[in-house]
Amino acid sequence: MATTVGWLLDQRALDLRSCTGSLGLDRPIDCALTSELVDAADWLSGGELLLTTGMRLPDDRDGRRRYLASLAEAGVAAIGFGTGLGYDTVPDDLVDIGTDLGLPVLEVPLPVPFSAIARTLLDRVADDRYAQFTRAARSQPAMTRAVIAGGVPALAGELAAALDHTVVVIDRDGRVVCSRPRAADPVAMTHVRRALGPDHWRSRAASATGVTITDDHTITVQRISSGGAVVGHLAVIGDRPLGDLQRVLVGHASSLITLQHNGAGDVAAERAQLHADVLGFAIRGDTLPATAETMLLRAADDDGLVRVVVFEFRSSTVAADAVGQLASALEQRWRPVFCTRDGREVVVLLRGDDDTATAQSLAAGLRMRAGLGDPVALCDIAASTGQARQAARAAVDGEVVDLVTTRSVLAIDGVQDGLRGLHDIRLRPLLEVRAAGGADLVTTLRRYLEANGHWESAAAAIGVHRHTLRQRVSRIEGLLGIDLADARTRAELLLILLSGDRPPAGRESR
């Protein structure tokens, strides 16, 4: 409900006329002031409708140009020139100069008091302010409901609608969590990232809010902190600065995001368990109710796609400890936590546009190997999980394999089927030892082959002394009737192991 020059001209009771045609009709007016001073610009801040009768208007054209130029430079919205006193009409040269400067000049006929114009504008500003308060009063509870029902992305959408701006939430790594109602303009995002700087998440001394004004955008960046640490930023991008009440809404949104990030302990634990159960249903390929799909959709990218990453650890104990770090890493990046553990395997649901760098960052400092499945719709999470498991088996320690970018021979279903058929036959003696409660010679063989026969590396990976490893390898050669010095034998066995070896859930390698 902007108050503009055009709106003022439309008020028939005032009987105003634009002497400069359609020039500047969209210019906003925030108040009306009366002044006959030639240096009135010194007391103006911009946005005013300056009302004058020209009582002290300079007689010469150069003086009048200086007068209007000073007003234009001060940001005056328009000039209302009262006729019928000193001047019967608005001087032609005043109109010409105003046109050259882009400054609207309005004629105010004698019967119209300046106070009537001022009162009309005051009433309009009051109505506008009331409307803003009303919208803010409605928006705040709507934003609260949104964050409860749909998390940070839903909150960003509600804030974007209330402000009529683009809202972008950025995590501590500088990655975009969500952008509503649409993807932010790339040029504007360049200014956002420049405003954040390389150490944005470390800085506590800088102001919590910053404003950047460019030729095309006004960008407001609100820092989000938790426990004294910067955990993200909220960027608002539009074509005009935010008003006072709009800034209040941004502050409210920031507070809600902080609360969402922290979460109450018991509530967060219950939510994590619920999310784990829902992900478990999806992994098994069970038919999901609509409510479960709505929950899972919070983890999807803007195209509604997700992908699964499977982290494989040395033991179920290590995997259980890793679940907490993975969940915390997701929360730090403003992601919903969908994470479940099965033995030494941890399955995590990511966005469809995430990559190996995302998975690596989540597991920073953890000893693991991992695989990423294809980006899929919610109904195909089970398929993505199977692909992620295949990719994890093809990975070496510390590596994340992405089937989208690394289409190895092990990702071919026909090859997988053939190798799995050989697994139990070729490795039966080792599997029988493990089933009888003996040493896990299958894992020993795999670690040895993955280390390319390097005794120290393989022993460290298994957690045994190298002499123990030598004894186990000799036993394996005897049980299988092979010579592991042969390269072809090593290659064949490694492919078979990568395709089919998954120790029973909860079983630790010894």
Side-chain angles (χ1 to χ4, degrees), residues 419 422-423 426-427 430 442 445-446 448-449 476-477 480-484 486-501:
L419 290 173
L422 291 172
H423 183 271
R426 193 75 175 85
L427 302 177
L430 309 186
V442 176
L445 175 59
R446 177 170 176 164
Y448 174 73
L449 294 174
I476 289 169
E477 289 179 320
L480 299 182
I482 58 172
D483 180 5
L484 288 176
D486 180 65
R488 289 178 178 270
T489 300
R490 292 199 306 273
E492 174 190 326
L493 288 173
L494 182 57
L495 285 172
I496 292 173
L497 285 164
L498 289 175
S499 69
D501 177 38

Side-chain angles (χ1 to χ4, degrees), residues 218-232:
T218 297
I219 302 166
T220 302
V221 179
Q222 172 81 38
R223 189 177 66 207
I224 302 170
S225 301
S226 176
V230 178
V231 295

Side-chain angles (χ1 to χ4, degrees), residues 242-504:
L242 296 178
D244 293 340
L245 290 176
Q246 290 178 311
R247 288 194 291 270
V248 168
L249 290 179
V250 172
H252 182 64
S254 177
S255 298
L256 289 174
I257 292 175
T258 300
L259 290 173
Q260 173 80 0
H261 179 268
N262 293 336
D266 292 342
V267 173
E270 291 292 336
R271 183 174 57 205
Q273 184 58 55
L274 178 60
H275 283 189
D277 292 342
V278 170
L279 179 58
F281 293 146
I283 288 173
R284 291 192 295 272
D286 295 343
T287 301
L288 297 175
T291 52
E293 288 192 357
T294 300
M295 292 174 61
L296 290 168
L297 193 60
R298 294 174 56 188
D301 61 19
D302 290 339
D303 294 324
L305 301 180
V306 294
R307 65 189 316 191
V308 171
V309 56
V310 171
F311 295 98
E312 198 174 285
F313 298 92
R314 289 180 55 193
S315 69
S316 60
T317 302
V318 175
D321 292 339
V323 169
Q325 177 176 326
L326 293 170
S328 177
L330 286 166
E331 291 170 348
Q332 289 293 328
R333 289 157 179 79
W334 307 97
R335 305 294 187 86
V337 179
F338 288 93
C339 180
T340 186
R341 182 181 70 85
D342 179 12
R344 60 189 184 91
E345 175 186 278
V346 178
V347 180
V348 176
L349 192 64
L350 299 181
R351 295 186 342 188
D353 55 3
D354 283 330
D355 54 17
T356 55
T358 304
Q360 288 279 12
S361 67
L362 294 177
L366 296 176
R367 292 189 61 180
M368 56 81 204
R369 60 181 178 179
L372 273 170
D374 282 346
V376 296
L378 298 180
C379 59
D380 292 323
I381 287 177
S384 184
T385 304
Q387 294 166 345
R389 283 177 174 145
Q390 290 181 16
R393 294 178 201 136
V396 298
D397 283 345
E399 182 185 27
V400 179
V401 171
D402 183 350
L403 284 186
V404 172
T405 57
T406 309
R407 289 292 180 183
S408 69
V409 66
L410 290 174
I412 302 173
D413 291 338
V415 174
Q416 281 281 334
D417 292 341
L419 290 173
R420 272 195 293 266
L422 291 172
H423 183 271
D424 291 352
I425 297 173
R426 193 75 175 85
L427 302 177
R428 179 175 292 116
L430 309 186
L431 295 170
E432 290 174 348
V433 171
R434 187 169 71 184
D440 188 353
L441 298 179
V442 176
T443 298
T444 297
L445 175 59
R446 177 170 176 164
R447 298 303 186 199
Y448 174 73
L449 294 174
E450 288 178 337
N452 286 322
H454 189 276
W455 296 106
E456 293 287 350
S457 299
I462 299 170
V464 299
H465 194 276
R466 64 180 180 277
H467 295 314
T468 302
L469 176 62
R470 289 181 184 274
Q471 294 173 358
R472 290 188 181 183
V473 169
S474 295
R475 186 181 177 189
I476 289 169
E477 289 179 320
L479 288 170
L480 299 182
I482 58 172
D483 180 5
L484 288 176
D486 180 65
R488 289 178 178 270
T489 300
R490 292 199 306 273
E492 174 190 326
L493 288 173
L494 182 57
L495 285 172
I496 292 173
L497 285 164
L498 289 175
S499 69
D501 177 38
R502 286 191 66 211

Side-chain angles (χ1 to χ4, degrees), residues 72 83 129 135 150 157 164 181 215 259 376 445 453 461 483 507:
T83 57
R129 179 63 60 142
R135 287 197 300 272
D164 193 23
D215 291 340
L259 290 173
V376 296
L445 175 59
D483 180 5
R507 179 66 181 263

